[in-house]
Amino acid sequence: MFFRKMEEEILRQELLSGFIFKDKASEKILDELTQMAAAICDTPISLISLVGKEKQWFQSKIGLDLDETPIENSFCRHAIEKPGEIFIVENPLEDIRFKTNPLVQSDPNIRFYAGAPLTTSDGITLGTLCVIDKKQRALSKLQIKALQILANQTIDYLEHKREHVNQNDLLKKSISKFNKLSNHSLDALFQLELNEEKNIYFTYINETINDLLPQLEIEDFKNHPFKALDFVFHEDRLMVENTFVDAVRHKKDWDITYRVLKTDGTFAWHQSRAFPDRSSSEKVVWYGSFRDVTDKKNYLELLEKIIFDISHIMRRPIANMLGLIHLLEVSDDGDMLNNREIIKYIKIVSEEIDGEIQGLNENYQKIKTSFKNIY
């Protein structure tokens, strides 16, 4: 039994910090509960007290200037020992536990105390909702019942508030992790919305956009997406704008590749993709990305050149070689001079083919170089 109480006390102390809320909304709701308790029980003082190891502090208070008291002066520490009932002291001056208590001997001169334990759904009592009077008195059965109901409402609110705060903390941590991952992406990921007024704006865009379009003021860009058109190559600008407007108007996917002017006067190839979420009837949301595809374009151009070299340039020397081989096949064995000439030409053609193959290899090495930092 002793060790069980020790475990409960340790767990209670660990839980307490999670029930301390400083926001205005919580203060207002808790103050209303203490006001109701004071009004129903007709007492000048009402408190929501959380009992710590060395002190008790007040989450809400009516009629008392103190924010906390030492634990040895606490009435509430006795109340939490019996979670299932309201703890009442009708005359502290006649109670050996309290008659020398500074809170009895001096301000606020406690002469009556009733505390309803605040017990969580897990059975851990954190403190009390209590009422205090400066004169001896008693509570009616109806007042006692009402105080218990208010205590239940108080702990319900505190638990729901803690769960809400925990969920918000988890959400913030998840968002932080997502942003860390997103900001290391090669793509500028975004969420774009079209609201009821037909205004288009970014609700999210990661930091990669700074690498793709360093000329843009990002905050301004979020609210005015069309400002990016100023940096699109003039021959591609109308195409980008028209396809985007068409995608927005018809709520369809958008996928386009275009040129963007860089700060050094050259241009890069960018690809923009977005798809609409059609689940909301009030507004349309697009999810998409911007990506620099210059290396991909260079790769495709090199690949096309290699294919062209194979299918066109190398066909000529190979055809020549096949023709020379045919001459050897049909020539007389005694015509050695002619054969030597044919062999000489075969050597020339072979060297030409070798040169073309070396050229293809150089192009392949360029591809490897351009992509070595990507994969």
Side-chain angles (χ1 to χ4, degrees), residues 31 37 50 73 75 115 117 123 128 165 179 183 214 237 247 265 268 276 280-281 295 298 325 332 342 345 351 353 372:
D31 284 349
L50 298 180
N73 298 339
F75 279 62
T128 70
V165 170
N179 284 335
N183 291 332
R237 196 170 299 167
S280 174
S281 58
D295 288 329
N298 291 339
I325 292 171
D332 295 332
I342 293 173
Y345 286 120
E351 290 173 350
I353 293 174
K372 69 180 180 180

Side-chain angles (χ1 to χ4, degrees), residues 60-151:
S60 176
K61 57 183 181 176
I62 300 296
L64 189 69
D65 292 332
L66 299 174
D67 293 322
E68 61 186 44
T69 62
I71 194 65
E72 57 268 19
N73 298 339
S74 171
F75 279 62
C76 297
R77 71 186 176 99
H78 296 278
I80 65 174
E81 292 178 0
K82 295 182 178 180
E85 61 185 69
I86 291 180
F87 181 72
I88 298 176
V89 181
E90 292 188 348
N91 187 356
L93 290 173
E94 295 179 356
D95 193 314
I96 192 171
R97 295 169 296 181
F98 304 110
K99 64 181 182 178
T100 60
N101 190 306
L103 301 177
V104 175
Q105 294 295 321
S106 59
D107 192 60
N109 298 301
I110 298 176
R111 294 295 180 267
F112 173 82
Y113 170 92
L118 301 175
T119 304
T120 69
S121 55
D122 296 325
I124 305 300
T125 304
L126 304 175
T128 70
L129 170 63
C130 64
V131 292
I132 295 171
D133 207 333
K134 297 185 179 185
K135 61 184 180 181
Q136 294 182 25
R137 48 98 42 79
L139 295 182
S140 68
K141 290 183 179 180
L142 188 60
Q143 287 173 320
I144 292 173
K145 183 177 180 180
L147 184 62
Q148 184 62 67
I149 291 171
L150 289 173

Side-chain angles (χ1 to χ4, degrees), residues 358-370:
Q358 286 184 22
L360 291 176
N361 184 60
E362 289 174 2
N363 284 336
Y364 175 70
Q365 293 302 323
K366 290 179 182 178
I367 294 172
K368 286 180 64 178
T369 301
S370 66

